[in-house]
């Protein structure tokens, strides 16, 4: 049973995101908590948003793998980017890895005044679905 991603008529069509996802009954839902660009000790990997974004996505992959999921299982991404950060550098560091066959996942992106980790410029969380 596969998740169905929809890009309905009347809404913008883009290869970057879908508008609706239908998760079938019998799927397990995996909730990924916010991941920042920190190493295993909790230290920021860089003061720059690009390297932070890349590490945050690497951390997301590690966390998803612990639940038996991959980036391909993600139904929706939530990306919080500090208002002072370079949006192009942030998305540029992660967008190539988020592409996949078929319709893309849902994406919610927000510019925020700050994040909980001092110096963090990006935080990524997600919801994934696994067939049982």
């Amino acid at each position: 049973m596969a998740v169905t991603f929809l890009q309905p008529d009347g809404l913008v069509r883009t290869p970057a995101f879908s508008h609706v996802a239908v998760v079938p009954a019998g799927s397990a839902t995996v909730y990924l908590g916010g991941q920042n660009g920190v190493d295993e000790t909790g230290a920021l990997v860089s003061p720059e948003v690009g390297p932070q974004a890349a590490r945050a996505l690497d951390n997301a992959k590690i966390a998803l793998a612990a639940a038996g999921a991959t980036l391909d299982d993600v139904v929706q991404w939530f990306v919080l980017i500090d208002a002072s950060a370079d949006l192009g550098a942030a998305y540029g560091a992660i967008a190539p890895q988020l592409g996949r066959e078929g319709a893309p996942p849902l994406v919610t992106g927000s510019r925020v005044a700050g994040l909980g980790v001092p110096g963090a410029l990006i935080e990524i969380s997600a919801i994934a679905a696994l067939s049982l």
Side-chain angles (χ1 to χ4, degrees), residues 47-101:
E48 304 288 325
V49 72
Q52 284 189 31
R55 182 56 187 248
L57 189 59
D58 287 344
N59 291 345
K61 288 190 272 190
I62 292 167
L64 287 167
T70 69
L71 296 182
D72 287 337
D73 298 310
V74 171
V75 175
Q76 183 165 16
W77 289 103
F78 302 92
V79 182
L80 305 176
I81 301 173
D82 188 276
S84 68
D86 179 343
L87 191 61
Y91 275 113
I94 61 175
Q97 293 188 63
L98 300 183
R100 62 180 181 208
E101 279 296 313

Side-chain angles (χ1 to χ4, degrees), residues 33-50:
Q35 301 297 310
N36 299 109
V38 297
D39 64 21
E40 62 278 352
T41 70
L44 288 171
V45 296
S46 171
E48 304 288 325
V49 72

